[in-house]
Amino acid sequence: MKKINKILLTIVLVSAIIIACGIWSYNSLVEKNNLVDSKWSQVENVMQRRYDLIPNLQSAVKGSMQHETKIFGELAEARKSYSGATTDKEKLEANDKLNNASNTLINVIHESYPELSSNKNVNTLMIQLEGTENRISTERRAYILAVQSYNNKVQRFPTNLYAGLFGFNSKTVYKAEDKAQKAPSIDLSE
């Protein structure tokens, strides 16, 4: 009787250990799988930020540059008219144009409305682009590390026995598209 009890106790202990390992493996696989999913969600979050932010910044820079182009274009045209004037009347008309364009520029500079700041706006655009791309890169790296940790868990013994049993398979590490090898361009012209 004692021998049978020892055998039963051994079977129960081994079964309990196997079940406990199965529960622990399953729970850790679920945790790692969810971590991978949340890391990818964060990658998508910062890509959505870029998608929303960049066109707005680009539009703001274009607007500022168009305003400056208009003012400086009027100045250049007035100077050209003045230099090409041959009669006193043409010189007076050209001078009036030059004065009007100069006054517009002076008023804009003094009132700062709208502020001539395309250099500042372009600089802001570049800083935002760099920051956004750095955020995406950071989140992709976190995703890659989460996938690596998950894949290690799925492939290591004894968890690999339970991973297959519960349907957990290795995940593919992030791979950039071929077109990502070329930097995107930003067109600030109209």
Side-chain angles (χ1 to χ4, degrees):
M1 219 35 180
K2 283 186 175 186
K3 197 173 195 180
I4 294 177
N5 286 341
K6 283 185 180 182
I7 293 173
L8 282 174
L9 182 61
T10 303
I11 292 173
V12 168
L13 283 175
V14 169
S15 297
I17 290 172
I18 290 172
I19 290 171
C21 285
I23 291 170
W24 176 82
S25 293
Y26 178 82
N27 289 337
S28 64
L29 287 167
V30 167
E31 181 182 332
K32 297 279 184 186
N33 186 54
N34 290 339
L35 179 64
V36 168
D37 291 345
S38 75
K39 292 296 183 182
W40 181 250
S41 180
Q42 183 57 22
V43 170
E44 289 181 336
N45 178 44
V46 291
M47 288 190 304
Q48 182 68 44
R49 177 186 181 273
R50 174 180 58 188
Y51 180 80
D52 295 340
L53 177 69
I54 300 308
N56 292 330
L57 289 171
Q58 185 175 349
S59 180
V61 170
K62 277 184 181 180
S64 174
M65 291 174 77
Q66 285 173 346
H67 181 73
E68 290 177 29
T69 300
K70 179 182 177 219
I71 291 172
F72 288 113
E74 288 173 0
L75 265 174
E77 184 62 36
R79 288 181 68 223
K80 184 178 174 184
S81 294
Y82 186 79
S83 67
T86 55
T87 67
D88 289 342
K89 184 179 178 185
E90 288 175 348
K91 285 184 181 184
L92 281 173
E93 288 174 2
N95 187 57
D96 286 343
K97 284 183 184 178
L98 190 56
N99 281 341
N100 287 339
S102 295
N103 286 336
T104 301
L105 178 62
I106 289 168
N107 288 336
V108 167
I109 290 171
H110 279 79
E111 294 173 7
S112 294
Y113 182 79
E115 182 179 335
L116 290 175
S117 59
S118 68
N119 285 341
K120 185 171 80 176
N121 288 339
V122 170
N123 189 36
T124 299
L125 173 63
M126 296 307 293
I127 288 169
Q128 289 295 326
L129 283 172
E130 180 181 5
T132 298
E133 294 306 318
N134 285 340
R135 286 180 184 187
I136 291 171
S137 177
T138 298
E139 296 303 335
R140 282 181 183 155
R141 175 149 173 72
Y143 170 74
I144 290 166
L145 292 174
V147 169
Q148 178 187 18
S149 177
Y150 171 82
N151 286 344
N152 286 342
K153 189 74 153 173
V154 166
Q155 295 168 4
R156 285 186 181 152
F157 183 81
T159 311
N160 64 346
L161 300 173
Y162 299 105
L165 181 67
F166 296 125
F168 290 96
N169 300 311
S170 294
K171 294 191 179 279
T172 304
V173 178
Y174 175 81
K175 176 152 175 42
E177 296 176 23
D178 290 337
K179 62 184 175 183
Q181 299 298 322
K182 183 181 177 206
S185 62
I186 293 184
D187 181 12
L188 296 177
S189 63
E190 203 46 41

